Amino acid sequence: MAKNRSKSELTPLEKVAIFLVSIGLETGQRIIALMDTSEINAVVPQIRSLTEISPEMQGIVWDEFKELGYEAQMNPVETLTVIRFLFNGSRIRYPY
């Protein structure tokens, strides 16, 4: 993943992958455990493809999730709901 891409250059799936990595392994795993098989099949390879996430890119993605309504105290179900807002409130899918 390029270090200096803008928010608009990232796909929704890339944003989800960056977000899940950014919130930490344990929390990310709890959210992934709530996804259906097709969502997992879309998200996990994207996470694995991340090579480097610049602090700036992480901040851009984090800010977007806050705009979508994410709050740190949310439980995994609520967080997955916010993640799905990137896909118009439906399940995570590829292609978008």
Side-chain angles (χ1 to χ4, degrees), residues 60-81:
I60 288 168
V61 170
W62 195 257
D63 288 346
E64 182 167 357
F65 275 88
K66 285 182 180 177
E67 289 173 18
L68 291 170
Y70 174 74
E71 297 176 4
Q73 69 272 15
M74 288 180 154
N75 66 45
V77 172
E78 294 167 326
T79 303
L80 181 56
T81 299

Side-chain angles (χ1 to χ4, degrees), residues 5 11 13 21-22 48-49 52 56 58 60-61 67 72 79-80 84:
R5 293 170 63 189
T11 67
L13 195 53
V21 169
S22 298
R48 287 183 180 146
S49 75
E52 185 174 351
E56 294 81 16
Q58 187 174 351
I60 288 168
V61 170
E67 289 173 18
T79 303
L80 181 56
R84 288 177 175 159

